[in-house]
Amino acid sequence: MLSQSEENYLKAIYSLSELQGEAISTNLLSEKMSTKPSSVTDMVKKLSDKKLISYKKYQGCELTIVGKKMALQIIRKHRLWEVFLVKKLNFGWDEVHEIAEQLEHIQSTKLTDHLEEYLGFPRFDPHGDPIPDKNGVFEKINKSKVLSDVIINGKGSVVGVEDGSSGFFQFLNRYEIGLGTEIQVIEKFDFDLSILVLINGKEISFSSVVANKIFIQLL
Amino acid sequence: MLSQSEENYLKAIYSLSELQGEAISTNLLSEKMSTKPSSVTDMVKKLSDKKLISYKKYQGCELTIVGKKMALQIIRKHRLWEVFLVKKLNFGWDEVHEIAEQLEHIQSTKLTDHLEEYLGFPRFDPHGDPIPDKNGVFEKINKSKVLSDVIINGKGSVVGVEDGSSGFFQFLNRYEIGLGTEIQVIEKFDFDLSILVLINGKEISFSSVVANKIFIQLL
DNA sequence: AAATATTTTTAGACAAGTCTAAATAAATTA
DNA sequence: TAATTTATTTAGACTTGTCTAAAAATATTT
Ligand SMILES: [Mn+2]
Ligand SMILES: [Mn+2]
Ligand SMILES: [Mn+2]
Ligand SMILES: [Mn+2]
């Protein structure tokens, strides 16, 4: 059985691998985990001993098949709990991540499976991220197109957001933006990369920071 | 914020105090926690530094007002989660204790309160134990009378069971005994303290071990 | 009350997970 | 290529929670 810390490292390596493809460097992982590189080296040795990652000194690390499976099970739990909190306990989508960080470490396959059934086998979490099934299989959704990429007069709906700070979620709530919200691009400004959009009949201007964190599926 | 270990000690001290009244001895606590007495001494010093228990060398320990409040909040979470698992996720009452041991350490008052509301403010857990409210207030139920205490021809219903091993729960399930089950005492045997009872029209003989773990409210 | 037995504490150790400071390897720049 | 910078690892330390073995305090028995 893995410790919470080991599980968190696996999750971090997984999510960095999704972005960065290749082997994950010690420094990158240390930044993600908010620990010092020396701590990462220690942990990476341990996970390597357990055959959950492959690791050669100075060459970074990569999940093994087994390690990736474990990472996906933790992510599965995280996202199922997020759905539970939003759908059943009436939490806002901006409030659930921290609590799910704790709940994801509860050890009981039966609990996870019962929870999934109770929730009606949801395929996405409240932020639009896909939920792996008990075998680790999940739908890859289109997180390729971001609001900034939509051309002028283009129209789409929100299919996800970058899993980010609570400040960002509060921002989204303020403008009543959630999964499924329809957005039309009115104008784009090159000088600061800001963007003018139409949401629920209202014109709103977004900074490029925001426009890069909202994933869009064209209509 | 307390560690899981600190929380478990507080809970153990609380439950021993309920039985034993006075100050809890190091050895008793070590047995309850399945640790060595020397480990208890260390922990007890730490909890004392945090003003959660009062402790004088060689004199045992006792919860302070604050410590008792914390213990009750952990117990509250434990029992609410047990209700959730049985009522919402269709677990058997014999399967939930171990999982609740993990869930009781999730830190979020809002989560606990939302869960309580979602469950309809239950007053008892699946084993008949009362659930403290957010202020730590709960109904003291009648766990004084045990099946062994019922006189011949006396009739009562099960209001609780000693929170025990999974083997005991399987035993209860086998005989279809749960909260509310009606039991009539037919005969008692002094030589081995066993007891013959009538449950759902069937005569069953129980050992004294069992008869001492089933709490009865007379009808 | 003295001797003995039991309980409790202390001393020193270990594993997990982290840190700082120093050493070493790799990458970049000149 | 040599010098310099950056990334990574090693060495040694600290905290938490546990352990064993030994010492000290308390309780029980003769
Ligand atoms: Mn999340
Ligand atoms: Mn986590
Ligand atoms: Mn329980
Ligand atoms: Mn616990």
Side-chain angles (χ1 to χ4, degrees):
Chain A
M1 228 205 51
L2 300 179
S3 71
Q4 297 207 176
S5 205
E6 289 170 322
E7 291 195 341
N8 286 337
Y9 272 94
L10 286 184
K11 229 180 22 151
I13 296 166
Y14 178 86
S15 88
L16 291 172
S17 300
E18 290 300 276
L19 305 173
Q20 303 254 353
E22 350 98 46
I24 301 306
S25 76
T26 299
N27 270 8
L28 189 62
L29 189 47
S30 94
E31 199 177 320
K32 178 90 175 177
M33 292 298 299
S34 307
T35 58
K36 299 291 165 180
S38 54
S39 306
V40 169
T41 301
D42 287 346
M43 180 57 87
V44 138
K45 279 178 186 166
K46 188 161 35 144
L47 294 174
S48 179
D49 288 346
K50 294 190 178 185
K51 315 280 190 203
L52 298 172
I53 63 178
S54 59
Y55 163 70
K56 294 253 167 55
K57 266 190 201 178
Y58 298 102
Q59 303 305 126
C61 67
E62 208 166 351
L63 291 174
T64 61
I65 307 285
V66 177
K68 186 170 174 179
K69 255 194 183 131
M70 308 223 69
L72 283 170
Q73 287 311 305
I74 303 158
I75 289 166
R76 165 175 163 76
K77 287 189 279 181
H78 181 104
R79 293 179 182 167
L80 283 171
W81 281 115
E82 285 190 341
V83 172
F84 169 72
L85 294 171
V86 168
K87 287 279 168 60
K88 301 292 185 179
L89 297 197
N90 291 113
F91 276 85
W93 72 336
D94 56 313
E95 304 175 298
V96 299
H97 184 75
E98 293 308 309
I99 301 175
E101 281 295 320
Q102 299 179 61
L103 287 164
E104 72 189 0
H105 301 293
I106 303 293
Q107 305 284 171
S108 166
T109 307
K110 189 166 181 181
L111 170 58
T112 308
D113 295 344
H114 279 218
L115 181 64
E116 182 184 36
E117 186 184 354
Y118 180 59
L119 297 172
F121 297 92
R123 284 157 43 239
F124 301 100
D125 81 4
H127 315 105
D129 295 306
I131 300 175
D133 71 14
K134 62 188 307 179
N135 302 121
V137 178
F138 61 94
E139 297 178 34
K140 276 249 160 50
I141 67 150
N142 200 349
K143 275 212 165 180
S144 52
K145 201 174 218 74
V146 103
L147 183 54
S148 310
D149 302 330
V150 180
I151 58 171
I152 290 176
N153 288 323
K155 214 173 157 183
S157 74
V158 177
V159 294
V161 298
E162 189 71 39
D163 207 354
S165 65
S166 76
F168 181 49
F169 283 119
Q170 280 158 29
F171 177 91
L172 294 171
N173 283 342
R174 175 65 186 77
Y175 291 106
E176 292 176 321
I177 297 168
L179 285 191
T181 300
E182 293 193 3
I183 302 184
Q184 180 163 19
V185 175
I186 308 284
E187 223 171 318
K188 297 167 88 168
F189 299 93
D190 279 349
F191 82 102
D192 70 345
L193 299 172
S194 73
I195 191 168
L196 182 66
V197 300
L198 192 67
I199 298 179
N200 301 322
K202 263 186 284 186
E203 288 193 350
I204 309 172
S205 165
F206 287 148
S207 70
S208 67
V209 172
V210 169
N212 277 310
K213 287 187 165 191
I214 299 176
F215 299 105
I216 296 292
Q217 168 95 64
L218 291 183
L219 290 175
Chain B
M1 226 205 51
L2 299 179
S3 70
Q4 298 208 174
S5 205
E6 290 169 322
E7 291 195 341
N8 287 336
Y9 272 93
L10 286 184
K11 228 181 20 150
I13 296 166
Y14 177 85
S15 88
L16 291 173
S17 299
E18 289 300 277
L19 304 174
Q20 303 256 352
E22 351 96 48
I24 301 306
S25 77
T26 300
N27 270 9
L28 189 63
L29 189 47
S30 94
E31 198 177 320
K32 178 90 176 179
M33 292 299 298
S34 305
T35 57
K36 298 292 165 182
S38 54
S39 306
V40 169
T41 301
D42 287 345
M43 179 57 88
V44 137
K45 278 178 187 166
K46 190 163 30 143
L47 293 174
S48 179
D49 289 346
K50 295 190 178 185
K51 315 280 189 202
L52 299 171
I53 62 178
S54 59
Y55 164 67
K56 293 253 166 59
K57 268 190 199 178
Y58 298 100
Q59 303 304 128
C61 67
E62 208 167 350
L63 292 173
T64 61
I65 306 286
V66 177
K68 187 171 175 179
K69 254 192 183 133
M70 309 221 69
L72 283 170
Q73 286 312 304
I74 303 157
I75 289 166
R76 166 175 162 77
K77 286 189 279 181
H78 181 104
R79 293 180 182 167
L80 283 171
W81 281 116
E82 285 190 341
V83 172
F84 170 72
L85 294 171
V86 168
K87 286 280 168 61
K88 301 293 184 179
L89 298 197
N90 291 114
F91 276 85
W93 73 335
D94 55 315
E95 304 175 298
V96 298
H97 184 75
E98 293 308 309
I99 301 176
E101 281 296 319
Q102 299 179 61
L103 287 164
E104 71 188 0
H105 301 292
I106 303 293
Q107 304 285 169
S108 166
T109 307
K110 188 166 181 181
L111 170 58
T112 308
D113 294 344
H114 279 218
L115 181 64
E116 182 184 36
E117 185 183 356
Y118 181 59
L119 297 173
F121 298 92
R123 285 163 36 241
F124 300 99
D125 82 4
H127 314 106
D129 295 305
I131 300 175
D133 71 15
K134 62 187 310 180
N135 302 122
V137 178
F138 61 94
E139 298 178 33
K140 275 249 160 54
I141 66 150
N142 201 349
K143 276 210 166 183
S144 53
K145 201 174 218 70
V146 103
L147 183 54
S148 311
D149 302 329
V150 179
I151 57 171
I152 291 176
N153 289 322
K155 215 173 156 182
S157 75
V158 176
V159 294
V161 298
E162 189 70 40
D163 208 355
S165 67
S166 76
F168 180 49
F169 284 118
Q170 280 157 32
F171 178 92
L172 294 171
N173 282 343
R174 174 65 185 76
Y175 291 106
E176 294 177 320
I177 297 169
L179 286 192
T181 300
E182 293 192 5
I183 302 184
Q184 179 164 20
V185 175
I186 308 285
E187 222 170 321
K188 297 168 88 170
F189 299 94
D190 278 349
F191 82 102
D192 70 344
L193 298 173
S194 73
I195 190 168
L196 182 65
V197 301
L198 192 68
I199 298 179
N200 300 322
K202 262 186 283 185
E203 286 193 352
I204 309 173
S205 165
F206 288 147
S207 70
S208 68
V209 172
V210 168
N212 276 309
K213 287 187 165 192
I214 299 176
F215 299 104
I216 296 292
Q217 168 94 65
L218 291 185
L219 290 175

Short mmCIF file of all heavy atoms in Angstrom, two decimals, chain A residues 47-68:
data_model
loop_
_atom_site.label_atom_id
_atom_site.label_comp_id
_atom_site.label_asym_id
_atom_site.label_seq_id
_atom_site.Cartn_x
_atom_site.Cartn_y
_atom_site.Cartn_z
N LEU A 47 10.09 5.21 -5.34
CA LEU A 47 9.09 4.77 -6.31
C LEU A 47 9.71 3.87 -7.38
O LEU A 47 9.07 2.96 -7.89
CB LEU A 47 8.41 5.99 -6.95
CG LEU A 47 7.56 6.84 -6.01
CD1 LEU A 47 7.06 8.10 -6.71
CD2 LEU A 47 6.38 6.04 -5.47
N SER A 48 10.96 4.15 -7.67
CA SER A 48 11.68 3.32 -8.64
C SER A 48 11.91 1.92 -8.07
O SER A 48 11.71 0.92 -8.77
CB SER A 48 13.01 3.99 -8.99
OG SER A 48 13.73 3.19 -9.89
N ASP A 49 12.30 1.85 -6.79
CA ASP A 49 12.46 0.54 -6.12
C ASP A 49 11.15 -0.25 -6.18
O ASP A 49 11.16 -1.48 -6.28
CB ASP A 49 12.85 0.73 -4.65
CG ASP A 49 14.29 1.21 -4.51
OD1 ASP A 49 15.04 1.14 -5.50
OD2 ASP A 49 14.65 1.68 -3.40
N LYS A 50 10.05 0.46 -6.10
CA LYS A 50 8.75 -0.21 -6.11
C LYS A 50 8.24 -0.47 -7.52
O LYS A 50 7.09 -0.86 -7.72
CB LYS A 50 7.72 0.64 -5.34
CG LYS A 50 8.01 0.76 -3.85
CD LYS A 50 6.85 1.39 -3.10
CE LYS A 50 7.17 1.45 -1.60
NZ LYS A 50 6.03 1.95 -0.81
N LYS A 51 9.08 -0.17 -8.50
CA LYS A 51 8.76 -0.42 -9.91
C LYS A 51 7.55 0.39 -10.42
O LYS A 51 6.85 -0.05 -11.34
CB LYS A 51 8.48 -1.92 -10.16
CG LYS A 51 9.47 -2.87 -9.52
CD LYS A 51 10.73 -2.98 -10.33
CE LYS A 51 11.62 -4.12 -9.80
NZ LYS A 51 13.03 -3.91 -10.18
N LEU A 52 7.32 1.52 -9.78
CA LEU A 52 6.19 2.35 -10.23
C LEU A 52 6.64 3.40 -11.23
O LEU A 52 5.83 3.95 -11.98
CB LEU A 52 5.53 3.01 -9.02
CG LEU A 52 4.94 1.99 -8.04
CD1 LEU A 52 4.46 2.68 -6.76
CD2 LEU A 52 3.80 1.22 -8.68
N ILE A 53 7.94 3.71 -11.21
CA ILE A 53 8.51 4.60 -12.22
C ILE A 53 9.85 4.03 -12.67
O ILE A 53 10.46 3.22 -11.96
CB ILE A 53 8.73 6.03 -11.69
CG1 ILE A 53 9.75 6.04 -10.53
CG2 ILE A 53 7.44 6.64 -11.20
CD1 ILE A 53 10.05 7.42 -9.99
N SER A 54 10.27 4.43 -13.86
CA SER A 54 11.63 4.11 -14.27
C SER A 54 12.46 5.36 -14.06
O SER A 54 12.00 6.48 -14.31
CB SER A 54 11.66 3.67 -15.72
OG SER A 54 11.15 4.68 -16.55
N TYR A 55 13.67 5.17 -13.59
CA TYR A 55 14.49 6.32 -13.21
C TYR A 55 15.96 5.98 -13.34
O TYR A 55 16.42 4.95 -12.84
CB TYR A 55 14.16 6.72 -11.76
CG TYR A 55 15.19 7.61 -11.10
CD1 TYR A 55 15.34 8.94 -11.51
CD2 TYR A 55 15.98 7.14 -10.06
CE1 TYR A 55 16.27 9.76 -10.90
CE2 TYR A 55 16.90 7.95 -9.43
CZ TYR A 55 17.04 9.27 -9.85
OH TYR A 55 17.95 10.08 -9.24
N LYS A 56 16.66 6.81 -14.10
CA LYS A 56 18.11 6.71 -14.17
C LYS A 56 18.65 8.05 -13.69
O LYS A 56 18.18 9.10 -14.15
CB LYS A 56 18.58 6.45 -15.61
CG LYS A 56 18.17 5.10 -16.17
CD LYS A 56 19.35 4.13 -16.27
CE LYS A 56 18.87 2.71 -16.53
NZ LYS A 56 18.01 2.62 -17.73
N LYS A 57 19.66 7.98 -12.84
CA LYS A 57 20.27 9.21 -12.31
C LYS A 57 20.46 10.28 -13.39
O LYS A 57 20.99 9.99 -14.46
CB LYS A 57 21.64 8.89 -11.73
CG LYS A 57 21.62 8.61 -10.25
CD LYS A 57 23.06 8.55 -9.75
CE LYS A 57 23.15 7.80 -8.44
NZ LYS A 57 24.56 7.70 -7.99
N TYR A 58 20.07 11.47 -13.08
CA TYR A 58 20.23 12.64 -13.96
C TYR A 58 19.36 12.58 -15.22
O TYR A 58 19.44 13.46 -16.06
CB TYR A 58 21.69 12.84 -14.37
CG TYR A 58 22.61 13.10 -13.21
CD1 TYR A 58 23.42 12.09 -12.69
CD2 TYR A 58 22.65 14.35 -12.60
CE1 TYR A 58 24.25 12.32 -11.60
CE2 TYR A 58 23.48 14.59 -11.50
CZ TYR A 58 24.27 13.57 -11.01
OH TYR A 58 25.10 13.80 -9.94
N GLN A 59 18.53 11.52 -15.35
CA GLN A 59 17.76 11.36 -16.59
C GLN A 59 16.26 11.58 -16.40
O GLN A 59 15.47 11.34 -17.31
CB GLN A 59 17.97 9.94 -17.15
CG GLN A 59 19.39 9.55 -17.42
CD GLN A 59 20.11 10.52 -18.35
OE1 GLN A 59 21.18 11.03 -18.02
NE2 GLN A 59 19.49 10.80 -19.49
N GLY A 60 15.86 11.99 -15.18
CA GLY A 60 14.44 12.17 -14.94
C GLY A 60 13.71 10.84 -14.77
O GLY A 60 14.34 9.79 -14.76
N CYS A 61 12.39 10.91 -14.64
CA CYS A 61 11.62 9.68 -14.39
C CYS A 61 10.37 9.60 -15.25
O CYS A 61 9.92 10.61 -15.82
CB CYS A 61 11.24 9.59 -12.91
SG CYS A 61 10.08 10.87 -12.40
N GLU A 62 9.82 8.42 -15.31
CA GLU A 62 8.66 8.15 -16.15
C GLU A 62 7.85 7.04 -15.48
O GLU A 62 8.42 6.12 -14.92
CB GLU A 62 9.14 7.67 -17.53
CG GLU A 62 8.20 7.99 -18.66
CD GLU A 62 8.90 7.79 -20.02
OE1 GLU A 62 10.14 7.59 -20.05
OE2 GLU A 62 8.20 7.82 -21.04
N LEU A 63 6.53 7.11 -15.55
CA LEU A 63 5.69 6.08 -14.95
C LEU A 63 5.83 4.76 -15.70
O LEU A 63 5.91 4.75 -16.93
CB LEU A 63 4.22 6.51 -14.97
CG LEU A 63 3.83 7.67 -14.05
CD1 LEU A 63 2.38 8.06 -14.31
CD2 LEU A 63 4.03 7.31 -12.59
N THR A 64 5.87 3.66 -14.96
CA THR A 64 5.74 2.34 -15.59
C THR A 64 4.26 2.08 -15.87
O THR A 64 3.40 2.87 -15.45
CB THR A 64 6.26 1.23 -14.66
OG1 THR A 64 5.46 1.24 -13.47
CG2 THR A 64 7.72 1.45 -14.29
N ILE A 65 3.96 0.97 -16.52
CA ILE A 65 2.56 0.60 -16.76
C ILE A 65 1.81 0.54 -15.43
O ILE A 65 0.72 1.10 -15.29
CB ILE A 65 2.46 -0.78 -17.44
CG1 ILE A 65 3.32 -0.83 -18.71
CG2 ILE A 65 1.01 -1.12 -17.75
CD1 ILE A 65 2.76 -0.09 -19.87
N VAL A 66 2.43 -0.15 -14.47
CA VAL A 66 1.79 -0.29 -13.15
C VAL A 66 1.62 1.08 -12.49
O VAL A 66 0.55 1.39 -11.94
CB VAL A 66 2.62 -1.21 -12.23
CG1 VAL A 66 2.00 -1.30 -10.85
CG2 VAL A 66 2.74 -2.60 -12.84
N GLY A 67 2.66 1.90 -12.55
CA GLY A 67 2.60 3.22 -11.93
C GLY A 67 1.51 4.08 -12.55
O GLY A 67 0.79 4.80 -11.84
N LYS A 68 1.37 3.99 -13.84
CA LYS A 68 0.35 4.78 -14.52
C LYS A 68 -1.05 4.32 -14.12
O LYS A 68 -1.94 5.13 -13.90
CB LYS A 68 0.53 4.64 -16.04
CG LYS A 68 -0.38 5.52 -16.86
CD LYS A 68 0.02 5.50 -18.33
CE LYS A 68 -0.98 6.29 -19.17
NZ LYS A 68 -0.62 6.30 -20.61
#
